[in-house]
Amino acid sequence: MVVSDGFLRRAGAVCLVACMALLAYPAQAKERWRAYTYNAVSTVTAAKGLKGLLDAIQEETGGELSIRLNLGGTIPIAATNITQAVSDNIVQMGDDAFFLGSVPVGGIVRLPLFLPTRAQFEQAWGIEEKYLREEYAKKNITLLGRYIFPENVFWSKKKLTSLADIAGQKIRVISPEQAEFIKLLGGIPVTLGTSEVAAAIDRGVIDGVLTASSGYGYVWRDLLTHSYRMNVSFIDSLILVNTDAWQALSADTRAKVQALVDEHTRRTTDAMAAEDADLTRKLAAEGMVITEPSAAELAEAEQRIKPYWTQWGQERPAVQEALREVRQAVGR
């Protein structure tokens, strides 16, 4: 067959156009995700840490993955619905500290006064982690990591200098486990998302909160007058991604993102732990009434709540194996 010069020129032109098109559109399309956090204030260390993580992801992946951060209250997702929003791919990434209604096994490390030291919390979380991952996998969610708030203690705009002062006060909680503790102490638990708390204190809907100094104790300092430093629990906040969206990324991108999550969550945890005592001292200098519980008060509070640890597991058969492992490991 004889091929004309004109045909060859036209074929060459077509090939050139095709090659230019391939150069214009990389093999992996750029991904644009949305992330949502319950944190409502961009200046708290947890929110700054999350923003730093997302900026690092965009830089490390060369823009192949960019994630826009939405603070708590900026889109119509309740704090208690973040896990569901990630599962439904409404947002591709979630920063979720209010997940216990969706994944009850996560409540083990949140049981009041159950894990009084950070080392115990870390040990227990390491045991609980596999159960968390299994439960999230059923929801089409991949758990990438977590950061930890320091001691969650009592704060109030009313007098709160002893265990007895909790009775009758309306205290904001973030989990059923915290709510049970407040009820045992004679208080009234109220569940609210972070973005709702300041207005609720101001209007008298609640009298106080459970939070860390480096969480929102310092942020809400103008609305509160007392801090009673009983560590109810440490609080873990989970970094979640929709599994379909996650698997759509290249293996290289997933590896980069996971490494950055590991690095930045550790950095955020350490930063909050380091600043918590400094912020507490600063609040005291500014006039906040800071009270450390006595050994007798700690013993009394633990005596009241300890039966609940067993009751909690009995009411949740699916978590009993994990709870048994944790209790054996930490000697509780």
Side-chain angles (χ1 to χ4, degrees):
M1 181 179 69
V2 178
V3 180
S4 68
D5 290 343
F7 177 83
L8 291 173
R9 285 195 298 270
R10 288 194 297 273
V14 169
C15 289
L16 178 61
V17 170
C19 290
M20 292 177 65
L22 287 173
L23 290 173
Y25 296 96
Q28 182 187 352
K30 295 182 185 299
E31 294 287 340
R32 301 288 181 264
W33 284 10
R34 286 202 301 175
Y36 188 67
T37 175
Y38 56 90
N39 280 298
V41 179
S42 62
T43 54
V44 296
T45 298
K48 290 192 291 186
L50 186 58
K51 181 62 166 59
L53 166 63
L54 303 190
D55 289 346
I57 287 173
Q58 180 163 344
E59 180 178 355
E60 185 69 18
T61 64
E64 291 299 332
L65 175 61
S66 62
I67 308 174
R68 178 181 177 181
L69 178 61
N70 294 271
L71 294 174
T74 59
I75 56 179
I77 298 175
T80 52
N81 291 336
I82 293 175
T83 282
Q84 190 61 51
V86 175
S87 177
D88 293 339
N89 207 27
I90 295 170
V91 293
Q92 290 68 52
M93 177 180 282
D95 171 27
D96 193 357
F98 292 75
F99 56 86
L100 298 191
S102 301
V103 188
V105 71
I108 292 174
V109 297
R110 304 274 195 92
L111 289 171
L113 308 186
F114 182 51
L115 302 167
T117 70
R118 168 83 176 275
Q120 287 175 312
F121 183 94
E122 294 272 14
Q123 184 182 12
W125 203 94
I127 295 168
E128 179 193 87
E129 180 182 5
K130 64 180 179 181
Y131 297 97
L132 275 176
R133 291 188 181 279
E134 289 171 2
E135 290 303 309
Y136 271 115
K138 297 174 186 176
K139 300 177 183 296
N140 197 40
I141 291 174
T142 299
L143 170 61
L144 295 188
R146 54 92 177 106
Y147 59 89
I148 305 169
F149 285 94
E151 294 90 343
N152 265 236
V153 301
F154 290 93
W155 305 77
S156 183
K157 64 180 181 180
K158 294 184 176 181
K159 177 178 177 292
L160 184 49
T161 59
S162 71
L163 200 63
D165 289 334
I166 295 167
Q169 294 206 33
K170 295 171 288 187
I171 305 294
R172 178 261 189 163
V173 300
I174 68 169
S175 72
E177 290 75 21
Q178 286 186 349
E180 186 66 24
F181 188 48
I182 297 300
K183 287 189 287 186
L184 284 173
L185 299 176
I188 304 161
V190 181
T191 302
L192 293 171
T194 307
S195 62
E196 305 169 275
V197 171
I201 299 172
D202 189 51
R203 296 197 309 267
V205 174
I206 56 175
D207 302 308
V209 298
L210 286 171
T211 189
S213 296
S214 62
Y216 282 80
Y218 191 76
V219 172
W220 296 324
R221 63 191 181 279
D222 293 335
L223 299 167
L224 303 164
T225 59
H226 290 70
S227 177
Y228 181 63
R229 310 295 298 176
M230 177 175 283
N231 179 22
V232 177
S233 70
F234 297 89
I235 298 295
D236 49 337
S237 191
L238 307 184
I239 306 300
L240 311 172
V241 292
N242 179 274
T243 298
D244 290 340
W246 178 245
Q247 292 299 327
L249 302 176
S250 70
D252 180 61
T253 296
R254 291 199 303 269
K256 290 177 180 177
V257 172
Q258 184 63 73
L260 288 169
V261 169
D262 293 344
E263 174 191 347
H264 283 257
T265 52
R266 182 173 58 251
R267 187 183 300 174
T268 297
T269 297
D270 291 345
M272 290 194 295
E275 73 182 1
D276 201 71
D278 289 340
L279 290 176
T280 303
R281 284 191 290 269
K282 187 173 182 179
L283 288 168
E286 293 174 357
M288 180 80 69
V289 179
I290 307 290
T291 304
E292 294 288 341
S294 67
E297 286 177 315
L298 287 170
E300 179 187 349
E302 182 171 320
Q303 183 179 17
R304 290 198 199 182
I305 195 63
K306 192 172 183 178
Y308 175 67
W309 303 341
T310 300
Q311 175 191 335
W312 182 86
Q314 292 172 340
E315 293 173 350
R316 298 164 177 80
V319 311
Q320 287 183 8
E321 180 184 349
L323 178 60
R324 184 167 51 253
E325 284 187 48
V326 168
R327 296 192 76 163
Q328 183 176 0
V330 300
R332 300 287 278 176

